[in-house]
Amino acid sequence: MTLNTAGLHHVTAIAGDPQANIDFYIKGLGLRLVKKTVNFDNPSTYHLYYGDDAGRPGTLMTFFPWGGVPTGRIGAGQSTSTAFSVPEGSLGWWRNHFKALGVDSVIDRLSSDEERLSLRDPDGLQLDLIASSTIDPRNPWDSASVPADYAVRGQHSSVLTVNDPFRTVDVLINDLGLRVVGEMGNRTRLTAGAEGAGNIIDVIADPMAQQGLTAGGTVHHIAFRVADAFTQDRWRQELVERGFQVTAILDRQYFTSIYFREPGGVLYEIATDTPGFDIDEPLLELGRSLKMPPWLEPSRDAIEHSIAHIELPAENNPTLAGK
Ligand code: ZN
């Protein structure tokens, strides 16, 4: 069986205070909270999903916020930067926007056709906004905080830092179906499916980099797309036959997932495109109420009692998105 992903499905990171996380990703980055649910493995804490209007694969950034979580260390064996795609010429606007919010950022040129604005989220997570001369055709979430002319189109790429790139790149090519499209110094760029934003992995070879420590302000895992549960099951069997330690298929309510660790230490997930985020609330109301999978509903009262209260900014509601 040939294993091929269409690209990135989501990136999941660890945060501290959930309200600071919500305020930054909705008002700062201009994403939409498309699901407010609980961490299925620790239901007294949240799992927050941000993305475009519908939470399409390739636009999703998700967080496990734990108030008071220790700060981790960004380093080898991790996804060390998460990059979002923004329109060409928009980085000056973004720098002023973040400055007004008290967030420092730096603009540099990544390549002849890509400019990058680098910043940290409230927990120290490394983020980049990439403005490419290649047009990203995806429609942005039209938010009152970030006008559509500048808004994030979705993921651009994930940057993986590893001590030895050889086996990491080998797995990306032979077990996930990506292909190498460029080399820039110690950075190898690979792409999945149709080349373009949302399908890109940059592998940085840094033999001296200290191992990362997964905690607050670090990426927990990155997820690649698979079309449906049937293909996922076949893919899982194939990965097991190839010697990977792969988890059972887990029901994440909005998709199903398998996980395995690649040789460089980065945790990978393969997540289905279906059923999606409108399975338990209408598109217009995404993110508004606390959602739980059926197996946690009997404990809803106890969970709602123990979980931190958060306020959802008006920007998340399409009828209030300002024009
Ligand atoms: Zn995930």
PDB file of all heavy atoms in Angstrom, residues 10 12 221 259 269, ligand 1:
ATOM      1  N   HIS A  10      -3.906  19.262  11.632  1.00  0.00           N
ATOM      2  CA  HIS A  10      -3.874  20.238  12.714  1.00  0.00           C
ATOM      3  C   HIS A  10      -2.549  20.166  13.455  1.00  0.00           C
ATOM      4  O   HIS A  10      -1.759  19.240  13.255  1.00  0.00           O
ATOM      5  CB  HIS A  10      -5.041  20.035  13.687  1.00  0.00           C
ATOM      6  CG  HIS A  10      -5.008  18.751  14.463  1.00  0.00           C
ATOM      7  ND1 HIS A  10      -5.623  17.598  14.035  1.00  0.00           N
ATOM      8  CD2 HIS A  10      -4.418  18.428  15.646  1.00  0.00           C
ATOM      9  CE1 HIS A  10      -5.437  16.633  14.929  1.00  0.00           C
ATOM     10  NE2 HIS A  10      -4.692  17.102  15.916  1.00  0.00           N
ATOM     11  N   THR A  12      -1.267  20.585  17.564  1.00  0.00           N
ATOM     12  CA  THR A  12      -1.765  20.685  18.936  1.00  0.00           C
ATOM     13  C   THR A  12      -0.618  21.064  19.873  1.00  0.00           C
ATOM     14  O   THR A  12       0.451  20.452  19.831  1.00  0.00           O
ATOM     15  CB  THR A  12      -2.401  19.358  19.383  1.00  0.00           C
ATOM     16  OG1 THR A  12      -3.571  19.135  18.593  1.00  0.00           O
ATOM     17  CG2 THR A  12      -2.804  19.408  20.855  1.00  0.00           C
ATOM     18  N   HIS A 221       1.994  17.668  19.360  1.00  0.00           N
ATOM     19  CA  HIS A 221       2.078  16.799  18.173  1.00  0.00           C
ATOM     20  C   HIS A 221       1.587  17.549  16.953  1.00  0.00           C
ATOM     21  O   HIS A 221       0.934  18.593  17.079  1.00  0.00           O
ATOM     22  CB  HIS A 221       1.261  15.509  18.370  1.00  0.00           C
ATOM     23  CG  HIS A 221      -0.223  15.742  18.546  1.00  0.00           C
ATOM     24  ND1 HIS A 221      -0.814  15.843  19.793  1.00  0.00           N
ATOM     25  CD2 HIS A 221      -1.221  15.915  17.654  1.00  0.00           C
ATOM     26  CE1 HIS A 221      -2.118  16.046  19.635  1.00  0.00           C
ATOM     27  NE2 HIS A 221      -2.392  16.108  18.341  1.00  0.00           N
ATOM     28  N   TYR A 259      -1.679   7.605  16.437  1.00  0.00           N
ATOM     29  CA  TYR A 259      -0.460   8.342  16.786  1.00  0.00           C
ATOM     30  C   TYR A 259       0.744   7.410  16.726  1.00  0.00           C
ATOM     31  O   TYR A 259       0.642   6.227  17.072  1.00  0.00           O
ATOM     32  CB  TYR A 259      -0.540   8.887  18.224  1.00  0.00           C
ATOM     33  CG  TYR A 259      -1.714   9.786  18.500  1.00  0.00           C
ATOM     34  CD1 TYR A 259      -2.968   9.243  18.789  1.00  0.00           C
ATOM     35  CD2 TYR A 259      -1.582  11.168  18.481  1.00  0.00           C
ATOM     36  CE1 TYR A 259      -4.057  10.060  19.051  1.00  0.00           C
ATOM     37  CE2 TYR A 259      -2.664  11.996  18.751  1.00  0.00           C
ATOM     38  CZ  TYR A 259      -3.903  11.431  19.035  1.00  0.00           C
ATOM     39  OH  TYR A 259      -4.975  12.250  19.293  1.00  0.00           O
ATOM     40  N   GLU A 269       0.393  12.411  14.432  1.00  0.00           N
ATOM     41  CA  GLU A 269      -0.969  11.875  14.439  1.00  0.00           C
ATOM     42  C   GLU A 269      -1.414  11.807  12.984  1.00  0.00           C
ATOM     43  O   GLU A 269      -0.971  12.624  12.162  1.00  0.00           O
ATOM     44  CB  GLU A 269      -1.880  12.832  15.229  1.00  0.00           C
ATOM     45  CG  GLU A 269      -3.360  12.480  15.205  1.00  0.00           C
ATOM     46  CD  GLU A 269      -4.203  13.504  15.977  1.00  0.00           C
ATOM     47  OE1 GLU A 269      -3.620  14.364  16.689  1.00  0.00           O
ATOM     48  OE2 GLU A 269      -5.429  13.453  15.836  1.00  0.00           O
TER      49      GLU A 269
HETATM   50 ZN    ZN B   1      -4.238  15.973  17.538  1.00  0.00          ZN
END
